[in-house]
């Protein structure tokens, strides 16, 4: 392999800046992206049509517009963390795990309003957390 003048050769273990992650980290990043997208869609629904969801008695009962904004904010943060994981940023895995946990708790609290949706997103969050917390950071193609 020839080296161009003025360019420092990267070691074989050092990730290149122009590569996306692969393997388990790609799965974790994509799971965060999907969870974030679904949270944003749920949040927009809660903001636009706050009479769509109805629960009579519930301890964590908030105004559905507040729930909607909460889901939108968490969804945007999940998508940012997912993109950071996919781009191999050093802070992406930690942010993904933390935001996945926040999303998991939020979805758990939202189960009485929309159970199937919440359980599906909770599953994505759990898979993302599990994937991001296992093994080495060197999952590159």
């Amino acid at each position: 392999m020839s080296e161009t003048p003025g360019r420092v050769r990267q070691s074989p273990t050092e990730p290149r800046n122009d590569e996306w992650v692969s393997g388990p980290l790609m799965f974790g990043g994509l799971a965060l992206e999907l969870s974030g997208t679904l949270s944003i869609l749920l949040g927009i629904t809660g903001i636009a049509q706050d009479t769509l969801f109805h629960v009579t008695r519930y301890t964590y009962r908030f105004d559905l517009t507040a729930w909607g904004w909460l889901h939108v904010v968490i969804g945007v943060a999940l998508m940012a963390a997912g993109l950071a994981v996919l781009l191999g940023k050093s802070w992406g895995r930690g942010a993904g795990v933390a935001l996945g946990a926040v999303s998991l708790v939020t979805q758990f609290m939202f189960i009485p309003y929309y159970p199937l949706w919440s359980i599906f997103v909770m599953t994505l969050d759990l898979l993302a957390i599990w994937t991001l917390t296992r093994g080495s950071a060197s999952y590159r193609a």
Side-chain angles (χ1 to χ4, degrees):
M1 171 154 84
S2 64
E3 294 187 35
T4 56
R7 183 162 191 267
V8 178
R9 182 172 176 234
Q10 294 177 336
S11 71
T13 58
E14 182 181 344
R16 291 177 33 192
N17 291 334
D18 61 345
E19 289 183 2
W20 290 69
V21 295
S22 63
L25 282 183
M26 179 174 274
F27 176 81
L30 291 175
L32 287 174
E33 290 288 322
L34 183 57
S35 176
T37 302
L38 293 174
S39 291
I40 290 171
L41 291 174
L42 179 66
I44 290 171
T45 303
I47 293 167
Q49 298 179 354
D50 62 352
T51 59
L52 181 66
F53 307 111
H54 180 67
V55 172
T56 56
R57 290 184 52 133
Y58 183 51
T59 304
Y60 303 110
R61 186 167 185 187
F62 300 131
D63 177 46
L64 283 171
T65 303
W67 272 115
W69 282 110
L70 182 66
H71 283 294
V72 167
V73 169
I74 291 172
V76 169
L78 282 168
M79 290 187 72
L83 185 61
V85 168
L86 291 173
L87 292 174
K89 302 294 182 190
S90 60
W91 56 272
R93 288 176 73 180
V97 170
L99 289 168
V102 168
S103 175
L104 182 68
V105 170
T106 305
Q107 292 295 334
F108 179 77
M109 292 171 59
F110 199 73
I111 284 177
Y113 294 99
Y114 203 167
L116 292 177
W117 185 285
S118 294
I119 291 169
F120 178 72
V121 175
M122 286 170 54
T123 303
L124 280 173
D125 292 334
L126 281 171
L127 287 171
I129 291 168
W130 177 74
T131 303
L132 295 174
T133 55
R134 60 179 285 249
S136 171
S138 60
Y139 292 119
R140 296 217 175 245

